[in-house]
Amino acid sequence: MKKEMRILGIDDAPFNKFKKGNVLVVGTIFRGGSWLDGLLSTKVRIDGSNSTDKLIEMINKCKFKPQLQVIILDGIALGGFNIVDIEKLNKKTKIPVIVVIRRMPDFKKIKETLIKLKKEKKYKLIEKAGEVHKINQLYVQIKGINLKDAEEILKISCTRSLLPEPIRAAHIIAAGIVKGDA
Amino acid sequence: MKKEMRILGIDDAPFNKFKKGNVLVVGTIFRGGSWLDGLLSTKVRIDGSNSTDKLIEMINKCKFKPQLQVIILDGIALGGFNIVDIEKLNKKTKIPVIVVIRRMPDFKKIKETLIKLKKEKKYKLIEKAGEVHKINQLYVQIKGINLKDAEEILKISCTRSLLPEPIRAAHIIAAGIVKGDA
């Protein structure tokens, strides 16, 4: 794997979880863990179910598509409980997907919350995303890629902090655009 | 000067010059020419005259203010002819300002256009920004800093291309947020 491989890192902006509406989603295109080559953006519904289709559309129409070698998501959900179907995302873009999670998710609590919200169907997407693996101090779910290659990609991209640089930057950018300062 | 000095790089997003309204302005906070540390954003009026005040407000209220060592602008105007008074910007923020211009401006043509648009007053802000100096392949106008230090800052920050990394990134981010792909 090349150190200059093109990586797409995706994160959402902060939002008011008591309001309906859309939340900004930012995708940074990095060369490995160092340079910002491009930026994609879209919007997804807070607690909605359009995040998978919105990401597929954003990625498939972008000019960097032929170069993209992996998609890294900062968590499996955008805009609250708008959960990404990473199997479909991988299938429709033909790009491997890595979900990076900072703490081991409390699946029991997530399931209970979704049942309370009468959104238990969403839990199936989390289950469908597969086993959670530990790589160094991060947890990951993967599609279209093996654990060894995912580990190699994290090694290449975690240059500045414990997080892959493309999602660290996506987080700062999305928050700075929405809040004015991040 | 330290290689890790905090630099604020400012650029605007693309906009429709035939419409009225605001244009997104993005400020990236970089450590020298390498890492994105933070992101600021604001909006300025297309062809308006509020860019100086909007930048001063954005900078003075941001949490990175005490660390910021220089402001680099990608051109002296935002949103068309919303020209930045860099003397006021420097005075009110107490941070040195460097305007980076890719080609030597055709001041005669700019003056003629502004007279045609009955906006000749704006030309005074361009004149007030002072002499245009050539540093390597770029042109600069400076306030609150000498030419030698400005040259050193460009040397530290032009890591990836001919342009300082903070404004190269600000350009990509602003365009990607507004157009969805950049």
Side-chain angles (χ1 to χ4, degrees):
Chain A
M1 246 172 250
K2 284 185 191 167
K3 272 209 161 180
E4 296 265 299
M5 68 185 301
R6 294 293 210 305
I7 300 172
L8 174 64
I10 294 172
D11 201 5
D12 57 0
F15 60 95
N16 183 338
K17 64 177 178 176
F18 301 108
K19 283 192 179 169
K20 286 187 179 181
N22 287 319
V23 59
L24 174 69
V25 172
V26 164
T28 61
I29 293 162
F30 263 75
R31 301 239 185 156
S34 38
W35 308 112
L36 181 72
D37 252 10
L39 195 107
L40 311 181
S41 66
T42 187
K43 284 181 176 177
V44 306
R45 197 99 189 136
I46 295 169
D47 290 335
S49 52
N50 63 350
S51 62
T52 312
D53 289 343
K54 285 289 203 160
L55 292 187
I56 292 167
E57 186 197 3
M58 176 181 91
I59 294 162
N60 282 345
K61 75 178 189 193
C62 94
K63 65 181 172 198
F64 296 96
K65 174 80 196 290
Q67 284 89 49
L68 288 181
Q69 288 183 65
V70 64
I71 300 165
I72 305 182
L73 296 176
D74 190 2
I76 200 166
L78 298 167
F81 280 115
N82 201 333
I83 295 161
V84 181
D85 180 343
I86 62 170
E87 192 179 346
K88 188 177 172 188
L89 181 62
N90 168 238
K91 206 175 142 192
K92 295 283 185 185
T93 61
K94 297 184 179 65
I95 304 170
V97 177
I98 304 174
V99 177
V100 169
I101 318 162
R102 278 168 244 205
R103 279 178 294 267
M104 184 64 186
D106 183 345
F107 288 115
K108 199 170 156 265
K109 205 176 158 190
I110 293 169
K111 200 173 185 174
E112 282 168 11
T113 307
L114 286 170
I115 288 171
K116 235 186 255 174
L117 293 168
K118 292 181 181 165
K119 290 179 176 178
E120 54 265 54
K121 269 189 194 168
K122 287 180 185 286
Y123 193 73
K124 283 190 184 156
L125 292 180
I126 297 176
E127 278 180 327
K128 210 177 126 187
E131 202 184 331
V132 177
H133 309 272
K134 194 173 184 210
I135 298 180
N136 302 323
Q137 289 166 61
L138 295 172
Y139 298 89
V140 300
Q141 287 174 294
I142 51 181
K143 283 290 166 194
I145 187 172
N146 63 47
L147 196 59
K148 199 179 145 280
D149 286 351
E151 205 171 336
E152 180 71 18
I153 287 168
L154 291 192
K155 207 172 165 185
I156 288 170
S157 63
C158 297
T159 44
R160 176 94 187 97
S161 71
L162 289 173
L163 283 179
E165 193 58 13
I167 59 171
R168 193 187 68 84
H171 180 82
I172 291 172
I173 293 166
I177 293 294
V178 167
K179 301 195 314 180
D181 183 352
Chain B
M1 247 171 250
K2 284 184 190 167
K3 273 209 161 182
E4 297 265 299
M5 67 185 302
R6 293 296 210 305
I7 300 172
L8 174 63
I10 294 171
D11 201 5
D12 57 0
F15 60 95
N16 183 337
K17 65 178 177 175
F18 300 108
K19 282 192 179 170
K20 285 188 180 180
N22 287 319
V23 60
L24 175 69
V25 172
V26 164
T28 61
I29 293 163
F30 263 76
R31 300 238 187 156
S34 39
W35 308 110
L36 181 72
D37 252 11
L39 194 107
L40 311 180
S41 66
T42 188
K43 284 180 176 177
V44 306
R45 197 101 188 133
I46 295 169
D47 289 335
S49 52
N50 63 350
S51 62
T52 312
D53 290 342
K54 285 288 201 160
L55 292 187
I56 292 166
E57 186 197 4
M58 176 181 91
I59 294 162
N60 282 345
K61 76 176 186 192
C62 93
K63 65 182 172 199
F64 297 96
K65 174 82 197 289
Q67 284 91 46
L68 288 181
Q69 288 184 65
V70 64
I71 300 165
I72 305 183
L73 296 177
D74 190 2
I76 200 165
L78 299 167
F81 280 115
N82 200 332
I83 295 161
V84 181
D85 179 344
I86 62 170
E87 192 178 348
K88 188 176 173 189
L89 180 63
N90 167 239
K91 207 175 143 190
K92 295 284 183 181
T93 61
K94 296 183 179 63
I95 303 171
V97 178
I98 304 175
V99 177
V100 169
I101 317 161
R102 278 169 243 205
R103 279 178 293 267
M104 184 65 188
D106 183 346
F107 288 115
K108 200 170 155 263
K109 205 177 157 189
I110 294 170
K111 200 171 184 174
E112 281 170 10
T113 306
L114 286 170
I115 288 171
K116 236 185 254 174
L117 294 168
K118 293 180 182 166
K119 290 180 174 176
E120 54 265 54
K121 268 188 193 169
K122 287 180 185 282
Y123 194 74
K124 283 190 184 157
L125 292 180
I126 297 176
E127 277 181 328
K128 210 177 126 187
E131 201 184 330
V132 176
H133 307 274
K134 193 172 184 210
I135 298 180
N136 302 322
Q137 289 167 62
L138 294 171
Y139 298 90
V140 300
Q141 287 174 294
I142 51 180
K143 283 290 166 194
I145 187 171
N146 63 46
L147 197 58
K148 198 178 147 281
D149 286 350
E151 205 169 335
E152 180 72 18
I153 287 168
L154 291 192
K155 208 172 164 185
I156 289 170
S157 63
C158 297
T159 44
R160 177 89 188 103
S161 71
L162 288 173
L163 283 179
E165 193 57 12
I167 58 172
R168 193 188 68 84
H171 180 81
I172 291 172
I173 293 166
I177 293 294
V178 167
K179 299 195 313 179
D181 182 353

